[in-house]
């Protein structure tokens, strides 16, 4: 479809209704219409497998499903069967359900490097609980976050370090320090500078690049030597790197780790897991000061825990992680070939592990560009590809990948014209997309 003919009138109207009642027009900033070309932010009606339909009736091949959470595809039958079974039995009780026992056993069998687990609803709750626990067991105030990883929590200890820090006291932000990924000497210097003050190191064990040999083991040694807690944020790497997470793949065991995203295939469930000696401090069977770890009314909702168990079973029995890697490798190869064939291989760059691909849009001088990203997204949307990233789900098939590559090739042809003109403006048809974290709206 010609981008000049591609219009989303019902989605535009729905976006106006969203903004009238919901701050930001979405419940996650990364889903905001500012992340899409002007007036081309589809509002979703429904989804099935690797496809979604907007309220205007357009069908898209979808990537990055549910911000990486729907890794099996929408409305997956095994997950829905498990959820329906539990809904008919009640969802929340005044005492723990037997489902909580079964879900914990299943999780700890899937992630054997952990000794205890506690479930909650979202990733921020889990990471904040990990930070509080680390502060409690060490008696130290500071949190060291990896500066190269974009997001850890909606809570003050992290958001205060971003450009969207309004409303957060400076005294809180000052307690959060940062270290660069992959640089052990710099991390050791930080721990030495704040000797006996850093409660924890928190990072994603891997991101767009693989950890260098010995890096994660080196962090483990640094944390042990300096007496701080090592926390792996496995919200993204969990299941996509291996069923046992990145810690299972790389063989380095953190003190605490957090899981979410893929854990429920779109249903609201996340987990804090880790060593018994630490986790039990949030329990009843110890003699120390109690830690208010996680206490959420809906944290053990039975149908979400059933979804998590079904997801883990599906991953193990059907080899989902391997499927994600194979699909991602096919997609990355196709996109790179299409970009290279149109002379923009140095401008549209696919990065990351095959199961977790993102793309960079670079201008004629090789610099990241929101304008070129806008151009690229417009072309993809008009071709029926909804792709804020190239993160795959296992519901994709070869035909979906081939169609995506065809649309990317068409987009690359337009991209080439813009690069030759050194000006993408004629192809934007409105304001460029914006970064999520910025000081002003």
């Amino acid at each position: 479809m010609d981008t000049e003919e591609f219009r989303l009138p019902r989605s535009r109207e729905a976006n106006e209704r969203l903004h009238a009642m919901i701050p930001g027009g979405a419940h996650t900033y990364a889903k905001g219409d500012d992340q899409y070309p002007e007036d081309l932010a589809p509002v979703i009606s429904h989804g099935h497998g690797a496809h979604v339909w907007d309220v205007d009736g357009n069908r898209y091949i979808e990537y990055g499903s549910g911000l990486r959470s729907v890794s099996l595809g929408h409305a997956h039958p095994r997950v829905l069967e498990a959820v329906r079974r539990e809904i008919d039995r009640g969802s929340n009780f005044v005492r723990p359900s037997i489902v909580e026992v079964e879900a914990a056993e299943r999780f700890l069998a899937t992630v054997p490097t952990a000794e205890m687990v506690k479930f909650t609803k979202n990733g921020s709750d889990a990471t904040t609980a990990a930070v509080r626990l680390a502060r409690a067991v060490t008696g130290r105030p500071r949190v060291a976050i990896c500066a190269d990883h974009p997001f850890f929590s909606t809570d003050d200890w992290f958001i205060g370090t971003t450009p969207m820090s309004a409303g957060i006291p400076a005294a809180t932000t000052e307690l959060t320090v940062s270290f660069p990924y992959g640089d052990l000497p710099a991390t050791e210097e930080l721990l030495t500078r704040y000797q006996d003050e850093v409660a924890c190191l928190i990072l994603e064990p891997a991101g767009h690049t693989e950890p260098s040999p010995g890096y994660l083991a080196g962090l483990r040694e640094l944390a042990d030597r300096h007496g701080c807690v090592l926390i792996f944020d496995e919200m993204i790497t969990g299941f996509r790197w291996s069923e046992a997470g990145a810690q299972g793949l790389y063989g380095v065991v953190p003190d605490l780790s957090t899981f979410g995203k893929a854990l429920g295939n779109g249903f609201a469930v996340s987990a804090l897991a880790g060593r018994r000696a630490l986790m039990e401090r949030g329990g009843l069977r110890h003699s120390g000061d109690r830690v208010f770890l996680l206490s959420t009314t809906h944290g053990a909702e039975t149908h979400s825990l059933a979804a998590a168990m079904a997801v883990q079973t599906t991953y193990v029995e059907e080899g989902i992680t391997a499927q994600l890697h194979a699909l991602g490798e096919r997609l990355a190869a196709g996109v790179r070939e299409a970009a290279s064939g149109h002379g923009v291989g140095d401008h549209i760059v696919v990065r990351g592990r095959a199961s977790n691909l993102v793309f960079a849009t670079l201008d004629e001088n090789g610099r990241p560009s929101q304008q070129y990203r806008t151009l690229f997204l417009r072309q993809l949307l008009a071709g029926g590809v909804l792709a804020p990233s190239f993160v795959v789900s296992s519901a994709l098939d070869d035909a979906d990948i081939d169609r995506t590559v065809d649309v990317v090739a068409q987009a690359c042809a337009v991209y080439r014209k813009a690069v030759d003109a050194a000006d993408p403006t004629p192809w934007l048809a409105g304001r460029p997309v914006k970064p999520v974290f910025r000081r002003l709206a």
Side-chain angles (χ1 to χ4, degrees):
M1 181 186 299
D2 190 318
T3 56
E4 297 305 312
E5 300 174 0
F6 186 57
R7 298 286 185 269
L8 301 176
R10 292 181 180 175
S11 290
R12 183 177 181 179
E13 178 190 4
N15 276 312
E16 288 303 312
R17 291 164 60 195
L18 284 164
H19 278 282
M21 296 177 287
I22 300 167
H27 285 89
T28 312
Y29 283 115
K31 295 184 182 183
D33 58 3
D34 60 336
Q35 303 300 295
Y36 290 83
E38 191 168 1
D39 295 332
L40 289 187
V43 173
I44 304 303
S45 164
H46 63 287
H48 189 270
H51 300 95
V52 295
W53 287 257
D54 66 22
V55 293
D56 292 280
N58 299 297
R59 185 180 82 157
Y60 305 89
I61 303 169
E62 188 196 39
Y63 293 90
S65 313
L67 304 181
R68 296 178 172 86
S69 67
V70 189
S71 60
L72 300 178
H74 299 288
H76 189 276
R78 292 184 72 165
V79 176
L80 291 187
E81 180 185 0
V83 167
R84 290 192 183 104
R85 185 170 59 247
E86 287 305 325
I87 284 178
D88 286 341
R89 293 162 53 84
S91 63
N92 210 335
F93 312 105
V94 76
R95 278 281 294 150
S97 161
I98 191 65
V99 176
E100 296 174 50
V101 179
E102 296 165 350
E105 289 173 342
R106 179 67 54 82
F107 181 91
L108 295 173
T110 307
V111 187
T113 43
E115 296 174 332
M116 297 187 83
V117 62
K118 194 158 191 179
F119 297 108
T120 184
K121 278 301 179 201
N122 60 70
S124 293
D125 286 347
T127 54
T128 292
V131 166
R132 182 184 301 123
L133 186 55
R135 282 171 160 163
V137 299
T138 63
R140 299 174 178 181
R142 295 190 187 274
V143 177
I145 64 173
C146 182
D148 299 293
H149 297 153
F151 188 79
F152 288 105
S153 175
T154 62
D155 291 301
D156 290 3
W157 61 269
F158 172 70
I159 291 296
T161 69
T162 76
M164 293 176 69
S165 60
I168 300 172
T172 298
T173 304
E174 288 166 3
L175 292 176
T176 301
V177 294
S178 64
F179 61 95
Y181 187 79
D183 192 335
L184 290 174
T187 305
E188 181 159 29
E189 190 278 329
L190 179 78
L191 293 172
T192 301
R193 187 191 330 156
Y194 296 107
Q195 188 69 40
D196 300 328
E197 293 183 35
V198 176
C200 61
L201 300 171
I202 181 168
L203 73 157
E204 296 178 43
H208 299 327
T209 59
E210 289 290 292
S212 59
Y215 172 62
L216 295 178
L219 276 184
R220 175 72 276 172
E221 191 276 331
L222 277 179
D224 290 340
R225 182 150 47 86
H226 286 268
C228 59
V229 175
L230 181 61
I231 304 171
F232 282 176
D233 179 344
E234 296 240 38
M235 291 296 157
I236 293 174
T237 55
F239 302 101
R240 283 190 178 274
W241 262 240
S242 82
E243 291 85 357
Q247 58 195 277
L249 179 65
Y250 300 127
V252 176
V253 181
D255 299 300
L256 300 171
S257 55
T258 58
F259 288 76
K261 301 275 188 194
L263 182 58
N265 201 53
F267 286 92
V269 59
S270 62
L272 169 65
R275 292 198 294 117
R276 182 176 301 276
L278 276 69
M279 293 287 288
E280 191 60 82
R281 287 289 298 273
L284 301 175
R285 298 184 175 184
H286 65 92
S287 58
D289 290 343
R290 295 187 67 192
V291 178
F292 197 91
L293 189 58
L294 283 165
S295 183
T296 53
T297 299
H298 302 290
E301 213 169 39
T302 57
H303 60 267
S304 291
L305 294 182
M309 287 190 282
V311 167
Q312 291 166 86
T313 300
T314 302
Y315 261 80
V316 173
E317 292 184 357
E318 298 184 16
I320 296 297
T321 303
Q323 291 182 38
L324 295 175
H325 280 88
L327 287 163
E329 287 168 357
R330 182 184 178 97
L331 176 63
V335 170
R336 287 169 180 148
E337 183 178 356
S340 177
H342 285 87
V344 291
D346 293 330
H347 301 276
I348 297 174
V349 182
V350 180
R351 296 171 175 162
R353 195 171 181 84
S355 60
N356 189 55
L357 296 172
V358 297
F359 57 82
T361 50
L362 310 181
D363 66 14
E364 59 276 1
N365 297 310
R367 297 172 302 197
S369 169
Q370 294 295 98
Q371 287 187 308
Y372 277 93
R373 179 175 174 85
T374 307
L375 178 156
F376 192 55
L377 290 177
R378 281 185 64 85
Q379 301 298 319
L380 295 184
L381 286 164
V385 176
L386 179 57
S389 70
F390 282 144
V391 176
V392 297
S393 74
S394 64
L396 291 159
D397 59 24
D398 289 348
D400 292 321
I401 301 292
D402 293 345
R403 171 60 185 162
T404 301
V405 171
D406 287 343
V407 173
V408 167
Q410 296 167 28
C412 288
V414 178
Y415 205 112
R416 179 72 254 174
K417 294 178 183 178
V419 169
D420 288 343
D423 181 15
T425 307
W427 292 275
L428 300 189
R431 53 109 183 108
V433 299
K434 299 179 181 181
V436 170
F437 287 116
R438 58 186 192 274
R439 189 172 67 86
L440 300 176

